[in-house]
Amino acid sequence: MAVAKVKKAFIISHHSIKNSFLKELQESGFLQVINLREKLEEEREEVPLEELRSLNLTFSKVQFIHDFLKNFEEKKKGLLASLIKEKFKVTWDEFEKIEEKIDFNKIYQECELLDFNLTHLSNQINYLKASRENLLPWITLKLKLAEIKETKRVGIILGVLPSASLSAFQQELEETFPDSSLGVINEEPQNTYILLFYYKEIYNDLAPLMAKYGLRLVSFPHFEQTPQEEILKIEEKIEKLEQEKEKLIAKARNLLYLKKDIIVLQEYINSRIKRLEVESNFARTKETFMLEGWVLEENENALRQMMEKYSHEVDLTLLEPAEDEKPPIFLKNSPIIQPFETLTRLFGMPDYRELDPTPYLAPFFFLFFGICLGDVGYGVLLTMACWWMAKKLEVSENVKRGLLLFAYGGIASIIVGVLTGSYFGLDAKYLPAFLKRAVIIWPLDNLTTFLLMTIALGIIQVSFGIILAAVNNIRNGQFSKAIYDQVTTILFLWAALSTLTLALTEVMVRVTPPWVESIFSPSLKALGATMLGIVFFHGRYFNRFFESFGNLFELIKKKELMEGAKKLIAFIVSTLFTFSVIGWVVTFFTFKNIHPNLGKLILVSFLLAFLFKPSRQLLVSFFSGLYSLYNMSRYIGNILSYVRLLALGLATGLIAGALNLLVEIFIQQTGFHNYIFSIKGVVVLLMFLVLLSIIIFFHLIINLGMGLIGCFVHPARLQFVEFFSQFYFDGGRKFEPFAIQTKHLVFKE
Amino acid sequence: MKHLLSFRQFIEPIKYGVGVGRVKVLETKLLSCHQLERLVEADDLEEQLRILAETGYGEFLEDVKTFSEVEEALENYLKKVFLFLSEVCPDEKALQFFQLKYDFQNIKAMIKEKYLQELPDDPFSQLGFLEVEELRNLIKKGNYQEIPEPYKTPTIKAIKQFEEKNDPQEIDIILDQALFEELFSIASFLKNDYLENIVKMMIDLANLKIFLRAKKLKRGRDFLEKAFLENGQVKKENLLEIFHEPLDALISLFEATPYRKILLNIISYGKVDLDFFDKLADDFILEFAKKAKLIAIGIEPLIGYVIAKENEVNILRLILIGRIEKVPKDKLRGRIRELYA
Amino acid sequence: MESFINALSGFHWALLGAAAACIGGGIGSAIGITYIANVAGGIITEDPDKFGPMLPLVGIPGTQGIYGFITAVLVTVFFGLLGGSGPKLPTVVGFQVFLACMPVAFNCCVSAIYQGLTSVGAAPMIAKRTEEAGKALILPALVETYAVLSLIATILLLLSVKAGMG
């Protein structure tokens, strides 16, 4: 249950069978093809460009049909539909023979014609609408537009004037050109539409006046009748065109039954394009082509079997992946924990030689999600909804896994809800006695206990993470590393925690029980010992120590006395320093008086070691150990981070409780259950039902919906930041076989 | 980091949020190297158009056949990009930043058209802020007063200088200077380091080009004094000082600046090859513009996107017109600029 | 100080604390969601398919508002404000309740705003690669830690105030 083993396959094959061979390979989906072109400078297999080009063209045509038809679909309403894409079921045979089934070129031409006509119609309609808009302000003008022509002496103007300058314009016109006449056709807040008669000889003086007040001239050369009649005519035309458009749309709708076929065709063409494109990864000789790829060990035999048919033309070699290679990752877990792979994939695939963290995070995530949601009612709803969607909707594997993960979360939430007595946040007094008996902790009454429980969970998971790091090291044959790094850390962690707990109990509890006293001192001693362990093992002090000891012997053997003497002094100085530090720690943690000279000894030996160059190396590893001791403080943050479970767990329950409280207050205040059968009672009952539905809405949308984001994100974060940081480094790539990959199709037998 | 605590960061998500969101999606739809490679490899215009049909260019490039139709289609496309910018960017000046150069280009060509009866090489660009025909009429009739600022003053000045000295180069010099001054003032008006840096780079590169061209044509110092642009990172005075020294002095002046790489590409064995200067300069600015992708919110991604689009359109023009004129594929490839993606 | 505390009755202090927590969280969440919703709006304009993956990211800065609300509910429940025992609350206790509400009032406000900004930074990840939506969600969730801690602090403080009342 972990990262699946893969093998590397080399295939050399004759050109003659290329097409059928590749087709079969694609259908089997066993092989992830490696790009040989990057590795070898050999001549690469030429992709048949002509064929690819024509396929691409077909593909874009099919795409066009698809997009065109999409415009006429009934829009699916609702959040659910936009979140989850439905898929079509198709048999293998239908898929293969789709090209024969539909006359694709005919459909394309039909769609193209429809599209062209529709755009044309829409443009016409828009044009007509725009001219109607232009005419609309003039509707009160009773003149025929064709008749608005200047006579020999009199000019006539239609114009638009900013309403603000109307009166000023009128006045000035009156004063300067009393003979001209101005008629206001329509006055709107912004613009005023006017008709102006004038004698032609004054035009040159009139023009600047018009410019001054911002009069815009308007003319309607294409219209003859009065504006009202013209508008009616236009509206008639628009209606006619709209009807035509409706007809075309109906025609297009008639084509909708082809949607499934079109999608199948699209996917089919796509798979053929993929088959051609994969060839660019191959190397070639005159007679043969060569490809390289990864195959899952479990598919090895199937692959061999498939090749048997071609035993004359194809040569297959399978090899274990080399040390420096990075094979692709295929996660293999039992179906029960498969949904939790969602989290692993989210963070990043493991390296080929690493543990798959999925089974280890699964129980924790399950529990944490349960604590965060922590309500039977919500849990039941969530489980049912997700289960239903995962089973009924045709969704991709990834989405299905995600849905099942949430369904699991719902189950966890039911369990936690029963144990904490939370049913839609109902107040405890409404719960029947047998449910109350199942409760082991009432969170609101025992907040401190709850808090300590979450911290305990943190300690457990963090320790588990460190153990996994050790396991990982041992698996990779680094036994000493597991001891040096992880074992010391975990011992230190437990010693520190027990000391801290005991110390806190002593401070907080007024009368300390004697057993606390009795184990405090050993625990403190253990803490001291593990601290030394961290300092010396994490810094690899002893390794260096013995190394330099060995060096010393070498030098003496070779009779390089000068060097040897230096080493010896360095050795003595640093040993002095080390032992004085150890001595200091030991005396400190056993509560005896520290010898006053010990501090001086540390200082002097430190200075000596620092000043004497050859001994600095040991000093460095000592300080790097010290630094890693300081680094242990991050575990405080890591463990305290688990307290968030408490906050999130309370949040759902409290909000639900507050919502219920509103209902309760309503019943109490109106007291309508006393007079339920009177008219007033019915009115209040109706009000109550409205309130109830609002409350239920809030329960579902606000509390459950918003809560779910938190209930997923925070437990996930605890896995990623607090748990994974102990042992897990991603860096693997997903196993992506050369196969028929369809976005919208599901194959059935 | 300096604006980690400034008030600006609390306003920007509201001001530019929608625009940045849209740009982040649109960035994924920029042409990829792969697509460009296919375009270069394509045998004729028809095939190129088929490749482009899947992209946003499809609707603009339908049925284009000639050189000028391609130009027009691409200009229309860029117009749509500008429209997008004006839609999503609440700072009007940002759009002007891109439009200015087309306006000044037009004004230059129009003045030359009027006084020298030179027909412009390219048709007037419709991408500017000013209406082309209107502007042309105003200049033709001499109604310079009616040209809006910031174009009025430099236009009048350029014409006056030209009439005095009768040297068409005066027009270019004065209008170029006005252009870059205006760009700089927009950048400082928006108080944006990114934009300011881009303008400074443009100025430096323009100065560098002036310098190298003058060197090649053996121009005098007074010419340079007039022609050099202000506000660059490299001071005008420093450039003037080394004008009479050998080219190595130029390289050592630019030693510590990022332009060094360009210079080393341009100058080899004491000779200057200006053919590739424009390509290198564009690449250089684009390289900087790419930094906008790392900025989560602000005007930068919007500006960066438009720069990328301008660049993309330039590349497309090269490729499409190159195919119409049957330029060899390898030569075409060399001319293609870097991509924003 | 004495006169400052006595300026309000215990009941009023407690109400002020509860209200402050609710207001702080609410303001922060509203601003934070506005930030990310703006960007999400832009992304969805160009690519409506991104609605699903964007939704959790937009919802994330909303939790602080809920924490503020929880604090207000806890104050009312613990000190019987609903049951009518509010006016009997001693002034000192009321003031303590007010102080206990402060972590949520301030921390949730500020952290929600910054969480909104962080989400804005994470949104392009979803715009470019939908399959990375989960990673984009984790980054802003790191900011939330401090809102959660402040809620825990407030709860513990309220508990200790209640314990002090006897």
Side-chain angles (χ1 to χ4, degrees):
Chain A
M1 299 293 122
V3 179
K5 291 261 172 250
V6 296
K7 279 193 169 177
K8 197 170 194 181
F10 295 94
I11 296 172
I12 300 178
S13 158
H14 196 261
H15 278 306
S16 58
I17 57 152
K18 188 161 85 185
N19 282 337
S20 62
F21 173 70
L22 282 181
K23 184 159 171 267
E24 200 156 336
L25 198 61
Q26 189 182 25
E27 278 163 17
S28 72
F30 288 149
L31 206 66
Q32 174 176 344
V33 177
I34 301 170
N35 196 342
L36 268 181
R37 192 177 143 194
E38 280 165 12
K39 278 168 91 179
L40 304 173
E41 284 300 309
E42 265 175 68
E43 200 182 346
R44 69 175 148 120
E45 181 74 15
E46 282 302 323
V47 178
L49 274 176
E50 262 320 304
E51 204 181 339
L52 192 60
R53 203 170 288 153
S54 82
L55 275 176
N56 269 326
L57 186 65
T58 321
F59 185 75
S60 59
K61 280 182 179 172
V62 179
Q63 183 83 40
F64 166 79
I65 302 177
H66 182 228
D67 291 346
F68 176 73
L69 290 181
K70 216 167 154 186
N71 295 331
F72 304 104
E73 257 176 77
E74 297 282 328
K75 285 273 173 297
K76 275 184 281 179
K77 292 253 160 61
L79 193 65
L80 209 66
S82 75
L83 284 175
I84 292 160
K85 302 246 165 343
E86 274 197 78
K87 294 199 160 191
F88 292 97
K89 272 189 182 160
V90 70
T91 63
W92 195 247
D93 208 41
E94 269 179 280
F95 182 71
E96 289 278 285
K97 298 210 168 101
I98 188 69
E99 264 189 316
E100 298 158 26
K101 187 182 166 192
I102 55 173
D103 187 355
F104 141 77
N105 269 321
K106 204 180 122 210
I107 300 170
Y108 175 69
Q109 275 161 10
E110 208 174 329
C111 286
E112 206 181 26
L113 190 69
L114 277 174
D115 187 42
F116 175 78
N117 286 337
L118 273 171
T119 351
H120 186 65
L121 276 177
S122 301
N123 285 343
Q124 265 183 315
I125 291 172
N126 284 342
Y127 172 75
L128 285 174
K129 278 186 180 159
S131 32
R132 195 187 61 165
E133 285 304 304
N134 283 336
L135 272 175
L136 219 48
W138 300 98
I139 198 161
T140 47
L141 182 69
K142 293 293 177 245
L143 283 174
K144 286 193 175 172
L145 286 169
E147 285 168 4
I148 302 182
K149 270 188 203 141
E150 46 193 43
T151 62
K152 234 180 216 171
R153 287 197 56 215
V154 179
I156 181 168
I157 283 175
L158 291 177
V160 185
L161 192 66
S163 295
S165 52
L166 175 67
S167 55
F169 179 70
Q170 242 167 345
Q171 205 179 359
E172 197 169 341
L173 192 73
E174 201 107 318
E175 279 165 18
T176 30
F177 311 110
D179 287 339
S180 51
S181 93
L182 174 87
V184 176
I185 307 294
N186 185 6
E187 198 169 348
E188 283 174 6
Q190 285 287 325
N191 292 318
T192 302
Y193 301 84
I194 59 159
L195 183 67
L196 182 66
F197 295 97
Y198 59 92
Y199 287 107
K200 273 185 173 169
E201 61 259 26
I202 63 163
Y203 183 76
N204 280 343
D205 303 315
L206 188 65
L209 190 68
M210 296 197 300
K212 184 177 161 195
Y213 289 101
L215 183 78
R216 257 188 313 116
L217 300 190
V218 182
S219 67
F220 298 102
H222 304 299
F223 298 117
E224 306 236 307
Q225 306 316 95
T226 63
Q228 196 172 8
E229 286 163 345
E230 287 291 348
I231 287 173
L232 278 177
K233 255 168 51 189
I234 290 175
E235 270 166 1
E236 262 169 44
K237 265 191 212 162
I238 290 180
E239 202 169 319
K240 232 162 122 194
L241 292 178
E242 290 280 7
Q243 275 168 4
E244 256 177 79
K245 198 174 157 188
E246 280 306 314
K247 266 185 219 158
L248 288 182
I249 289 176
K251 246 183 180 173
R253 286 233 169 86
N254 276 339
L255 289 175
L256 272 180
Y257 76 96
L258 285 166
K259 190 186 165 197
K260 182 183 163 188
D261 287 337
I262 291 297
I263 286 175
V264 174
L265 183 65
Q266 206 178 351
E267 301 277 19
Y268 175 73
I269 303 275
N270 194 26
S271 76
R272 288 206 22 212
I273 292 174
K274 288 270 144 59
R275 201 187 305 157
L276 285 177
E277 275 174 353
V278 80
E279 289 179 29
S280 65
N281 295 318
F282 301 168
R284 69 176 280 160
T285 63
K286 219 172 191 178
E287 296 287 317
T288 64
F289 65 95
M290 190 166 102
L291 68 147
E292 204 179 277
W294 300 107
V295 58
L296 296 182
E297 215 175 51
E298 57 180 20
N299 288 337
E300 188 188 332
N301 287 330
L303 183 68
R304 279 188 200 283
Q305 230 161 43
M306 199 189 96
M307 299 288 181
E308 250 163 45
K309 205 184 324 171
Y310 302 109
S311 56
H312 293 295
E313 295 95 347
V314 178
D315 178 62
L316 170 72
T317 321
L318 286 164
L319 290 176
E320 290 289 334
E323 271 298 304
D324 57 337
E325 276 178 325
K326 282 194 150 215
I329 308 301
F330 184 79
L331 294 181
K332 228 182 128 201
N333 286 304
S334 78
I336 297 174
I337 56 167
Q338 242 171 28
F340 294 94
E341 279 178 15
T342 311
L343 292 161
T344 311
R345 281 163 207 269
L346 211 59
F347 189 79
M349 288 291 201
D351 192 81
Y352 187 62
R353 291 162 189 89
E354 218 179 354
L355 281 175
D356 172 11
T358 314
Y360 310 108
L361 65 81
F364 288 106
F365 185 82
F366 182 75
L367 182 60
F368 294 170
F369 195 106
I371 294 175
C372 286
L373 196 57
D375 187 285
V376 178
Y378 291 154
V380 170
L381 284 179
L382 182 64
T383 311
M384 286 192 330
C386 290
W387 195 267
W388 180 82
M389 283 194 280
K391 289 293 158 205
K392 288 285 165 195
L393 297 182
E394 301 290 352
V395 291
S396 75
E397 273 303 301
N398 274 330
V399 178
K400 197 176 241 175
R401 264 198 298 268
L403 284 172
L404 285 178
L405 183 67
F406 274 95
Y408 272 135
I411 295 172
S413 154
I414 295 172
I415 297 171
V416 175
V418 169
L419 296 181
T420 56
S422 177
Y423 299 82
F424 277 121
L426 277 180
D427 201 291
K429 63 186 176 220
Y430 298 120
L431 291 185
F434 74 94
L435 288 179
K436 275 190 197 167
R437 249 175 279 135
V439 173
I440 54 168
I441 178 174
W442 295 98
L444 266 187
D445 300 336
N446 302 297
L447 272 180
T448 332
T449 323
F450 202 1
L451 188 82
L452 291 177
M453 270 169 58
T454 54
I455 292 179
L457 281 175
I459 295 170
I460 292 171
Q461 196 180 24
V462 168
S463 309
F464 189 54
I466 300 170
I467 292 173
L468 284 178
V471 172
N472 227 348
N473 278 334
I474 291 169
R475 254 167 50 107
N476 292 334
Q478 290 168 307
F479 194 73
S480 59
K481 206 175 164 204
I483 301 258
Y484 288 159
D485 286 343
Q486 280 88 33
V487 173
T488 50
T489 306
I490 212 162
L491 288 177
F492 167 76
L493 210 58
W494 288 344
L497 284 168
S498 66
T499 315
L500 200 67
T501 323
L502 292 172
L504 279 178
T505 343
E506 243 175 287
V507 175
M508 303 229 295
V509 182
R510 276 173 206 133
V511 189
T512 332
W515 60 269
V516 170
E517 294 274 2
S518 66
I519 58 171
F520 185 72
S521 159
S523 150
L524 200 62
K525 279 175 194 156
L527 178 63
T530 48
M531 265 169 79
L532 285 176
I534 296 265
V535 172
F536 287 107
F537 282 112
H538 277 221
R540 304 282 187 277
Y541 187 87
F542 291 120
N543 293 18
R544 292 269 171 81
F545 189 81
F546 289 119
E547 220 171 81
S548 65
F549 202 66
N551 276 348
L552 190 62
F553 270 105
E554 289 270 304
L555 288 174
I556 291 171
K557 252 190 218 162
K558 284 187 195 157
K559 307 230 159 94
E560 289 180 38
L561 290 181
M562 196 53 201
E563 283 294 306
K566 270 189 192 169
K567 278 272 170 202
L568 188 65
I569 296 171
F571 192 67
I572 291 169
V573 169
S574 47
T575 314
L576 195 64
F577 174 67
T578 321
F579 277 94
S580 54
V581 169
I582 294 176
W584 192 86
V585 173
V586 169
T587 46
F588 180 82
F589 279 97
T590 45
F591 277 139
K592 294 204 180 106
N593 280 340
I594 298 165
H595 196 276
N597 287 338
L598 208 48
K600 286 176 200 158
L601 188 63
I602 291 175
L603 197 67
V604 171
S605 57
F606 169 73
L607 277 178
L608 282 175
F610 183 72
L611 292 174
F612 193 59
K613 227 177 176 177
S615 58
R616 262 187 220 165
Q617 212 190 5
L618 277 170
L619 216 55
V620 166
S621 71
F622 175 79
F623 276 103
S624 88
L626 213 55
Y627 176 71
S628 103
L629 180 65
Y630 159 76
N631 245 346
M632 291 295 128
S633 62
R634 79 192 144 104
Y635 286 107
I636 300 174
N638 278 348
I639 288 167
L640 282 184
S641 183
Y642 286 79
V643 178
R644 74 183 63 231
L645 294 175
L646 165 73
L648 287 158
L650 286 183
T652 356
L654 277 179
I655 291 182
L659 292 172
N660 296 337
L661 199 62
L662 291 180
V663 180
E664 200 177 311
I665 291 169
F666 187 84
I667 297 176
Q668 271 172 12
Q669 296 296 316
T670 55
F672 74 88
H673 50 282
N674 297 326
Y675 49 84
I676 188 99
F677 293 113
S678 65
I679 292 181
K680 193 180 163 202
V682 173
V683 174
V684 177
L685 182 68
L686 283 177
M687 280 167 66
F688 175 72
L689 289 179
V690 171
L691 178 75
L692 201 65
S693 50
I694 294 173
I695 296 292
I696 289 173
F697 173 79
F698 268 83
H699 261 301
L700 289 182
I701 303 300
I702 307 296
N703 200 12
L704 183 56
M706 292 281 289
L708 277 185
I709 298 174
C711 289
F712 175 75
V713 167
H714 285 281
R717 175 223 139 101
L718 287 178
Q719 311 305 322
F720 294 165
V721 182
E722 273 77 23
F723 188 47
F724 280 4
S725 65
Q726 312 306 336
F727 71 100
Y728 184 66
F729 308 93
D730 62 332
R733 279 169 302 112
K734 216 165 71 181
F735 180 73
E736 284 173 301
F738 167 52
I740 293 177
Q741 282 162 335
T742 57
K743 271 190 213 150
H744 308 286
L745 299 182
V746 176
F747 289 104
K748 58 182 179 193
E749 289 310 310
Chain B
M1 274 298 113
K2 75 176 177 193
H3 77 256
L4 189 66
L5 279 172
S6 79
F7 191 59
R8 202 174 191 166
Q9 64 160 333
F10 298 111
I11 294 302
E12 283 189 338
I14 293 173
K15 209 167 153 191
Y16 303 111
V18 176
V20 171
R22 292 181 67 178
V23 159
K24 293 289 174 187
V25 176
L26 290 173
E27 268 174 11
T28 61
K29 292 177 185 164
L30 287 169
L31 294 184
S32 63
C33 298
H34 184 68
Q35 274 168 314
L36 283 189
E37 182 65 22
R38 267 167 71 202
L39 282 172
V40 173
E41 286 289 334
D43 291 323
D44 51 28
L45 185 66
E46 211 170 297
E47 192 182 336
Q48 287 180 325
L49 296 189
R50 236 185 352 252
I51 296 169
L52 286 172
E54 313 148 19
T55 68
Y57 290 95
E59 48 175 318
F60 292 89
L61 284 167
E62 243 172 78
D63 300 329
V64 298
K65 286 193 180 63
T66 60
F67 181 94
S68 58
E69 277 173 353
V70 169
E71 286 273 7
E72 200 190 322
L74 290 178
E75 205 173 85
N76 283 336
Y77 184 83
L78 213 49
K79 227 178 190 173
K80 197 186 98 177
V81 174
F82 284 1
L83 196 70
F84 167 77
L85 182 68
S86 69
E87 235 172 73
V88 298
C89 186
D91 305 302
E92 281 170 28
K93 292 264 182 186
L95 179 61
Q96 221 190 355
F97 182 82
F98 289 100
Q99 287 180 325
L100 274 173
K101 59 175 170 293
Y102 300 104
D103 281 324
F104 277 103
Q105 195 63 40
N106 282 345
I107 293 176
K108 268 189 220 169
M110 284 167 188
I111 295 178
K112 283 179 191 166
E113 181 192 41
K114 180 180 177 187
Y115 286 92
L116 307 169
Q117 274 78 45
E118 254 179 35
L119 276 179
D121 304 338
D122 304 320
F124 296 116
S125 170
Q126 304 288 341
L127 290 168
F129 171 72
L130 301 170
E131 186 69 37
V132 170
E133 280 312 310
E134 212 169 290
L135 181 68
R136 201 173 172 191
N137 271 333
L138 289 178
I139 290 182
K140 227 179 219 164
K141 288 182 187 155
N143 294 345
Y144 309 125
Q145 292 300 333
E146 287 177 33
I147 302 175
E149 284 293 8
Y151 310 102
K152 185 168 89 181
T153 324
T155 310
I156 294 175
K157 192 177 161 200
I159 289 172
K160 210 171 128 210
Q161 283 285 321
F162 171 72
E163 280 172 346
E164 266 172 34
K165 303 197 177 155
N166 209 10
D167 181 5
Q169 217 155 26
E170 294 287 331
I171 303 172
D172 286 343
I173 291 175
I174 287 169
L175 289 176
D176 276 345
Q177 265 171 351
L179 167 66
F180 282 104
E181 243 162 60
E182 197 51 37
L183 288 179
F184 191 76
S185 80
I186 288 178
S188 37
F189 173 82
L190 291 175
K191 294 197 187 65
N192 187 296
D193 288 350
Y194 172 80
L195 212 52
E196 241 169 74
N197 275 329
I198 286 186
V199 176
K200 277 186 180 164
M201 279 175 191
M202 284 158 77
I203 291 174
D204 282 337
L205 290 167
N207 276 342
L208 207 54
K209 195 175 170 188
I210 294 171
F211 187 99
L212 291 172
R213 262 230 311 261
K215 203 88 181 171
K216 211 168 185 183
L217 301 172
K218 306 215 162 41
R219 294 263 187 177
R221 194 188 143 103
D222 343 332
F223 167 77
L224 281 175
E225 207 156 336
K226 250 190 332 200
F228 275 144
L229 305 164
E230 300 279 358
N231 297 327
Q233 234 137 23
V234 179
K235 289 274 163 300
K236 188 176 164 180
E237 294 74 32
N238 296 347
L239 280 171
L240 277 174
E241 250 168 53
I242 59 155
F243 182 62
H244 289 295
E245 289 171 38
L247 276 172
D248 296 345
L250 184 68
I251 297 180
S252 63
L253 178 65
F254 281 86
E255 188 67 42
T257 66
Y259 311 110
R260 185 172 161 268
K261 226 174 88 189
I262 297 184
L263 280 179
L264 291 180
N265 266 319
I266 294 291
I267 303 172
S268 48
Y269 307 110
K271 283 200 147 188
V272 180
D273 179 12
L274 274 177
D275 283 357
F276 277 103
F277 188 84
D278 284 339
K279 176 191 167 346
L280 290 172
D282 280 356
D283 288 354
F284 186 82
I285 287 175
L286 193 70
E287 189 60 38
F288 182 80
K290 275 183 195 174
K291 287 184 185 163
K293 293 179 106 181
L294 303 177
I295 295 170
I297 196 83
I299 198 172
E300 290 89 346
L302 305 180
I303 301 282
Y305 173 72
V306 178
I307 292 179
K309 269 290 173 198
E310 269 191 317
N311 174 60
E312 194 183 86
V313 165
N314 281 340
I315 296 174
L316 263 189
R317 184 180 297 131
L318 272 176
I319 296 180
L320 295 182
I321 289 175
R323 188 50 61 244
I324 293 175
E325 298 188 335
K326 306 215 160 35
V327 177
K329 288 173 185 172
D330 287 333
K331 206 172 164 192
L332 216 52
R333 217 169 270 135
R335 292 203 166 266
I336 292 177
R337 290 165 172 78
E338 300 246 330
L339 279 179
Y340 188 66
Chain C
M1 195 63 196
E2 195 82 351
S3 63
F4 174 68
I5 297 174
N6 283 326
L8 292 177
S9 74
F11 185 35
H12 289 157
W13 273 123
L15 283 184
L16 191 61
C22 208
I23 291 170
I27 290 176
S29 285
I31 296 178
I33 290 187
T34 307
Y35 288 162
I36 173 65
N38 248 330
V39 176
I43 289 176
I44 296 164
T45 313
E46 293 298 334
D47 188 354
D49 286 350
K50 296 278 194 284
F51 179 72
M54 282 303 297
L55 195 64
L57 198 63
V58 178
I60 262 195
T63 35
Q64 278 86 340
I66 294 179
Y67 296 159
F69 176 72
I70 292 173
T71 307
V73 171
L74 278 180
V75 171
T76 47
V77 171
F78 281 180
F79 301 96
L81 301 191
L82 267 181
S85 63
K88 285 175 234 148
L89 211 60
T91 310
V92 179
V93 175
F95 187 64
Q96 285 166 346
V97 170
F98 173 75
L99 289 182
C101 289
M102 285 303 106
V104 163
F106 283 105
N107 238 350
C108 282
C109 182
V110 174
S111 72
I113 293 172
Y114 277 97
Q115 199 170 35
L117 290 175
T118 322
S119 307
V120 166
M125 269 164 93
I126 299 182
K128 297 210 161 126
R129 304 175 63 186
T130 314
E131 64 272 19
E132 306 282 292
K135 282 179 192 167
L137 209 57
I138 295 298
L139 293 179
L142 296 181
V143 181
E144 182 136 335
T145 308
Y146 306 97
V148 173
L149 291 182
S150 70
L151 176 64
I152 290 163
T154 291
I155 291 175
L156 290 178
L157 291 173
L158 284 176
L159 275 177
S160 59
V161 172
K162 198 184 169 205
M165 257 170 74

